[in-house]
Amino acid sequence: GDVILLRTKAGPCTGVVRFIGLAPDAAISPDATYKEIIGVDMENWSEYGTDGTYDGSRYFMTKSGHGLFVTRSEILDVQWR
């Protein structure tokens, strides 16, 4: 995947895109509402990170605390691999 620079709660950080697609958005509606998510394998551990799961479903595999799911608006820069 592409290397990207993200805006996160902890500040800017770098990661590799591992997933782009739709996922159920239970925050909007418990019905069949979907939103685009981008799964990123982060270079560094984050207290907000996962192991590649989002809302109980696995979208990619990474070490615990290294997976983040973001929207396009959180991407600051794309560095092609």
Side-chain angles (χ1 to χ4, degrees):
D2 294 332
V3 176
I4 59 174
L5 178 65
L6 295 174
R7 176 182 47 236
T8 69
K9 295 175 186 176
C13 54
T14 304
V16 177
V17 174
R18 298 291 184 211
F19 175 84
I20 299 175
L22 297 177
D25 189 359
I28 293 176
S29 168
D31 300 328
T33 302
Y34 291 83
K35 69 176 182 178
E36 182 185 62
I37 59 170
I38 300 169
V40 183
D41 189 353
M42 302 305 300
E43 189 173 284
N44 297 313
W45 179 88
S46 168
E47 66 180 289
Y48 305 105
T50 72
D51 62 356
T53 60
Y54 178 83
D55 202 22
S57 296
R58 178 164 303 283
Y59 291 89
F60 66 99
M61 295 193 62
T62 189
K63 295 183 282 187
S64 181
H66 285 257
L68 285 180
F69 290 89
V70 300
T71 61
R72 289 181 188 269
S73 65
E74 294 168 278
I75 298 173
L76 299 174
D77 191 28
V78 177
Q79 301 168 348
W80 305 103
R81 222 177 209 198

